[in-house]
Amino acid sequence: MKKLLNTSALVLAFGLATFSAAFAADGDKTKGASYYAVCAGCHGADGMGMEATNAPRLQGQFDWYLIRQLKNYQSGARGVHKEDIYGATMRGMAGTLPNEQAILDVVAYIDSL
Ligand code: HEC
């Protein structure tokens, strides 16, 4: 049983690694740089975040996580509660990314910082 669990964990880890590598490969960081121009105002040109704008650090974060959060803002899974003012701000910003490719591009750029 233990061996079976270990094997499943390995298969899962491999699957996730392949999955996130695929994301990184799909983004165009040159296009992403132009999308990031607006983001830099709050998250910093270096992606290190700024307490003054309440914007967290993005640089160094997993690309798959950033992609998921941007999709969550766009879908309304995040940033819609009436007391979530920072989330609401970010939800508007995620709206500046016109499609899924734009999300991959901006994340590829953040990944390169
Ligand atoms: C007006 C300031 C502002 C701008 C501009 C802005 N953000 Fe944000 N961002 C925030 C704030 C504030 C949060 C925290 C929101 C929350 O608490 O949910 C945030 C959160 C995020 C998160 C979630 C981070 C995490 O750890 O869960 C991502 C990803 C993100 N921003 C990416 C971007 C991208 C990409 C852009 C440009 C398209 C951008 N932001 C533009 C203020 C901004």
Side-chain angles (χ1 to χ4, degrees), residues 35-43 53-58 61 65-67 69-70 73 78-79 84-91 93-97 103 106-107 110:
Y35 291 121
Y36 192 77
V38 63
C39 322
C42 290
H43 290 278
T53 57
N54 297 292
R57 173 178 173 169
L58 304 175
Q61 185 54 275
Y65 174 79
L66 296 175
I67 290 165
Q69 296 316 308
L70 289 168
Y73 286 120
R78 188 173 171 182
D84 186 9
I85 47 169
Y86 303 127
T89 305
M90 188 47 222
R91 187 155 193 252
M93 294 304 145
T96 67
L97 301 168
I103 293 179
V106 79
V107 168
I110 292 166

